[in-house]
Amino acid sequence: MTDGDRRDPRGRGYRQRSAGPRGSAARPSRSGSAGATRRPATVRVATSASGSRPVRIGDPQTRQRIVTLVTLVILAVFAARLVVIQGVNSSELSSAALENRLATSTIEPVRADIVDRNGVVMATSAQRYHVFVDQTELKGFQRIENKQVIAEGPLDAAEILAPILGVEESELAADLVGDKTFQYIAKYVTPEVWALIDAERITGIDREPVTERMYPNGDVGGNVVGFVGGRDDRQGVDWGLAGVEAAFEDELLGTPGSLTYESDARGGTVIPTGVLEEEAAVPGSTVQLTLDRDIQFYAQQALEDALEVNGGSQGIVLVQDVETGEFLAVADSGAVDPNDPGATDAAARGSRAVEDIFEPGSTAKVITMAAALEEGIATPTSRYIAPYQYTTDNNQTFKDSHAHEDQKLTLSGVLVTSSNTGTIQVGEDLTEAQRHQYLEAFGFGSPTNVGLPTEVGGILHPWQQWDGRTKWAVLYGQGVATTALQTSQVYQTIANGGVRLQPSVVKGYETAEDVFIVRDTDEPRRVVSEETADQLMLMLEDVTESGTGGLAKIDGYRVAGKTGTAEAADETGALNRLVSSFVGVAPADDPRIVVSVIVWDPKSSIWGGEVAAPVFKDVTTFALQALRVPPSGPREEMYPTTWE
């Protein structure tokens, strides 16, 4: 090794110096020659014994060119993407962004009113507020006057609000103290009360607008009007659960609207200049009942008074318009108050007039008489011998209610005295199919579609299923079961000249545009001829003149009707209950109303003429006066009831 050679201290071989004198290696000028190009130095590194290869040191300008090229490519990609966003997809993306900022809330329509036939409000919805507190905000409440704090925090807030809400201060304070962001402190407060609360400007106190269903007449017509409440399958507490409120839910509710608005990213603040679109809610239609509030009130009161006297467990009074089929009163004892339905047993919140069934008993004998007259097998003066006990050709024995000698009765006399044995003899000339035909034609066995959701159709089995006794018992109102409405319908048909009308408790609906829509009802149906109906009316009038319904007579008015005593099932299904009834028409010479009185389990007497007829007289007298029905004309001569 010469002095010109030195080992690389990193041990990678040798580094050569130029051959000049030591330390005098040629160096380029600091300033360099004009036009001279600086070259990278070339060195040789020994790689093997056989030779060496040249190595170039990296050029900074090349690196800069590469970085610049890559940067331009990236910028070109971003620019292209920006062109797509701003140009090609701008509308789509803008719509998507707007969609994310839009919120929609439902505008619930106010539930419409229910009114009686004269426009008296029976159910209405009023604006109310639920008042709530953010307890965390209320902690910062302060009231300052003259630069002094005179009230602060939840305890002072309770002292201020308690008198307004009518609650104890300590009770209210318990709801105001805590860390909840939402806590109700009062519900259904009136707008006037909320105005007083709002005027106090207490931090953290706010309100939630709601509606409250109100029933100004309490339990008057409560079982027909029904009530509202919560449902498991829907939100809110304003859904019809009974009566007309449930049956005509769609008409009362109307159609919800919507409010679409643009809000900030958190969805809590409405952007004032943003989108704001409102689709107004369509109000529901006011439902007009056929009931007359005053007649309904009187019928309910008369019924309750009668039950106290006769000891009955429950009762029904109906007042029906002969010419329209509309019910002016549907009175159930123990009627529910829709303002507080929970105070009434669940089983009694509906209407017994359409739910409870019973054997109509003697009130249904008029159907047998109608069939005999219509089929031409008898006249009002046809003659029969009615014993106390009578045995049919299939060895079925029937009795009258009282023991007596054989009676020589006309067809009219059979009805007037309410003879079971005489009625069976009348029916012997009717086939079983004919008996069923007339029971069905008068409405037995099918719901009347009166307009109440819980109505049942009663029981009328096909005549082919009647046993040897039932085929006779149906002639005097046993072996079948009816509702009070169905019984009333029989007498409406007779009083209306033999034409049966669909009964109803709803006249129609008045829309928000003040258009009245009459409720659709079935076409009138002729059941018997006008002649048959007139004959029956005169026969029924004699029931009150000389028969079992004497206590139903009204001074100045001719009255036709029929008493009844029959059986009803108890909770086990056994016929262990008694039902006393009277169904009548007034005035008999120009029929205007049918009034039915049904009493279960009377203690003073079991006979309809003694239990129900007096209630009929009371209610009918009031109704005739309320309707301003003129007194009757002269009485007609009655059919003979006996013969010699």
Side-chain angles (χ1 to χ4, degrees):
M1 179 186 307
T2 64
D3 290 339
D5 297 327
R6 293 180 184 275
R7 177 173 292 276
D8 188 325
R10 293 170 293 183
R12 296 183 185 177
Y14 298 92
R15 185 171 55 179
Q16 293 184 344
R17 292 184 179 273
S18 60
R22 181 175 181 171
S24 61
R27 299 188 181 194
S29 169
R30 290 177 182 269
S31 58
S33 304
T37 300
R38 185 177 181 178
R39 292 177 168 278
T42 301
V43 297
R44 299 270 182 188
V45 178
T47 59
S48 66
S50 60
S52 61
R53 60 182 178 81
V55 177
R56 297 180 68 86
I57 296 175
D59 185 354
Q61 292 183 353
T62 301
R63 287 198 303 269
Q64 289 176 356
R65 292 190 190 99
I66 293 172
V67 170
T68 301
L69 180 61
V70 171
T71 302
L72 289 173
V73 170
I74 293 174
L75 289 174
V77 171
F78 280 132
R81 181 59 179 162
L82 186 60
V83 169
V84 172
I85 293 174
Q86 297 265 336
V88 180
N89 293 336
S90 61
S91 177
E92 178 182 344
L93 294 172
S94 177
S95 297
L98 177 61
E99 191 69 26
N100 290 332
R101 296 194 304 273
L102 292 180
T104 300
S105 60
T106 300
I107 303 174
E108 295 293 344
V110 176
R111 193 178 184 91
D113 291 350
I114 299 175
V115 300
D116 83 340
R117 66 187 301 108
N118 301 311
V120 176
V121 175
M122 305 295 285
T124 190
S125 294
Q127 180 67 58
R128 294 290 183 266
Y129 296 101
H130 289 346
V131 182
F132 61 87
V133 61
D134 182 335
Q135 296 172 345
T136 61
E137 286 191 24
L138 184 60
K139 291 178 181 179
F141 162 64
Q142 281 191 338
R143 175 170 293 172
I144 300 175
E145 289 184 5
N146 298 324
K147 299 182 180 181
Q148 291 186 345
V149 176
I150 62 172
E152 63 179 339
L155 296 182
D156 286 347
E159 182 180 359
I160 296 169
L161 295 177
I164 299 175
L165 293 172
V167 297
E168 292 293 329
E169 183 178 329
S170 58
E171 178 183 343
L172 181 57
D175 288 331
L176 298 180
V177 175
D179 297 314
K180 297 179 181 178
T181 57
F182 187 91
Q183 170 70 43
Y184 283 121
I185 62 173
K187 291 188 174 183
Y188 296 110
V189 304
T190 65
E192 293 77 14
V193 171
W194 168 249
L196 294 175
I197 295 172
D198 191 41
E200 298 294 340
R201 297 290 186 267
I202 298 177
T203 307
I205 302 295
D206 210 336
R207 90 290 192 196
E208 175 184 70
V210 295
T211 58
E212 182 180 17
R213 198 63 167 167
M214 303 175 66
Y215 303 89
N217 296 284
D219 66 357
V220 178
N223 296 61
V224 173
V225 173
F227 52 87
V228 298
R231 285 174 47 172
D232 293 337
D233 60 336
R234 296 185 181 181
Q235 293 183 339
V237 293
D238 208 19
W239 303 103
L241 300 183
V244 170
E245 291 275 31
F248 295 89
E249 179 94 292
D250 292 341
E251 289 77 10
L252 290 164
L253 278 182
T255 305
S258 63
L259 179 65
T260 301
Y261 55 92
E262 194 173 350
S263 62
D264 62 10
R266 293 180 300 173
T269 304
V270 177
I271 299 175
T273 59
V275 173
L276 184 64
E277 298 176 354
E278 180 177 356
E279 182 179 348
V282 179
S285 297
T286 297
V287 174
Q288 185 174 37
L289 305 179
T290 63
L291 302 185
D292 182 299
R293 192 270 311 269
D294 294 342
I295 297 176
Q296 176 74 31
F297 170 80
Y298 193 90
Q300 286 185 214
Q301 192 60 53
L303 177 59
E304 297 295 346
D305 292 344
L307 292 178
E308 289 187 12
V309 173
N310 61 47
S313 60
Q314 65 188 59
I316 297 168
V317 174
L318 306 176
V319 181
Q320 186 178 18
D321 190 303
V322 169
E323 297 178 352
T324 65
E326 297 173 350
F327 279 98
L328 308 181
V330 179
D332 293 277
S333 60
V336 64
D337 182 349
N339 293 299
D340 186 18
T344 301
D345 186 76
R349 293 174 193 166
S351 175
R352 295 189 180 98
V354 298
E355 296 173 0
D356 288 7
I357 59 174
F358 54 93
E359 290 185 332
S362 294
T363 57
K365 288 175 180 174
V366 70
I367 297 177
T368 301
M369 304 301 161
L373 292 170
E374 191 71 9
E375 294 298 324
I377 63 176
T379 69
T381 58
S382 294
R383 298 179 175 186
Y384 303 90
I385 296 178
Y388 164 62
Q389 182 173 295
Y390 184 79
T391 301
T392 63
D393 57 9
N394 65 338
N395 293 318
Q396 296 294 317
T397 299
F398 298 89
K399 299 178 181 179
D400 277 343
S401 59
H402 300 84
H404 58 78
E405 299 294 329
D406 289 355
Q407 297 175 322
K408 295 180 179 181
L409 301 175
T410 63
L411 182 69
S412 182
V414 170
L415 185 63
V416 169
T417 60
S418 198
S419 171
N420 294 336
T421 60
T423 302
I424 289 175
Q425 291 180 66
V426 173
E428 283 179 326
D429 292 326
L430 295 168
T431 66
E432 292 173 47
Q434 286 176 319
R435 300 169 198 176
H436 188 281
Q437 171 192 338
Y438 279 91
L439 290 168
E440 187 175 50
F442 274 100
F444 285 9
S446 301
T448 67
N449 193 24
V450 72
L452 294 175
T454 54
E455 183 182 14
V456 299
I459 299 173
L460 176 62
H461 296 300
W463 64 267
Q464 296 91 338
Q465 297 179 11
W466 289 344
D467 60 25
R469 187 168 186 82
T470 301
K471 69 179 182 179
W472 301 109
V474 296
L475 294 169
Y476 61 90
Q478 294 186 6
V480 296
T482 67
T483 64
L485 257 69
Q486 290 171 319
T487 302
S488 178
Q489 186 174 235
V490 172
Y491 286 79
Q492 178 276 321
T493 301
I494 295 169
N496 194 41
V499 177
R500 180 179 132 197
L501 303 176
Q502 180 187 322
S504 181
V505 294
V506 172
K507 290 182 73 71
Y509 335 102
E510 185 175 349
T511 69
E513 293 77 27
D514 297 326
V515 176
F516 189 80
I517 301 172
V518 178
R519 183 192 177 214
D520 289 335
T521 54
D522 297 337
E523 288 295 318
R525 175 183 176 183
R526 179 163 291 283
V527 177
V528 295
S529 67
E530 188 171 358
E531 179 184 6
T532 295
D534 290 343
Q535 291 172 334
L536 289 170
M537 284 297 296
L538 198 58
M539 293 164 63
L540 289 168
E541 186 175 355
D542 205 10
V543 172
T544 64
E545 287 298 312
S546 60
T548 57
L551 295 179
K553 290 193 294 185
I554 301 173
D555 291 341
Y557 293 94
R558 293 167 58 182
V559 174
K562 185 69 185 74
T563 59
T565 301
E567 295 176 315
D570 60 16
E571 61 277 1
T572 68
L575 296 175
N576 292 328
R577 303 182 68 185
L578 283 175
V579 178
S580 301
S581 60
F582 183 88
V583 185
V585 180
D589 53 331
D590 186 13
R592 178 65 191 277
I593 55 175
V594 176
V595 177
S596 305
V597 180
I598 319 290
V599 178
W600 275 258
D601 308 311
K603 303 296 187 297
S604 60
S605 170
I606 66 171
W607 309 116
E610 298 175 1
V611 173
V615 185
F616 167 89
K617 176 181 179 179
D618 186 13
V619 173
T620 305
T621 300
F622 179 86
L624 291 172
Q625 293 173 350
L627 297 171
R628 299 184 179 181
V629 177
S632 295
R635 298 187 182 278
E636 295 183 40
E637 183 179 353
M638 301 291 115
Y639 296 115
T641 57
T642 60
W643 57 274
E644 294 297 337

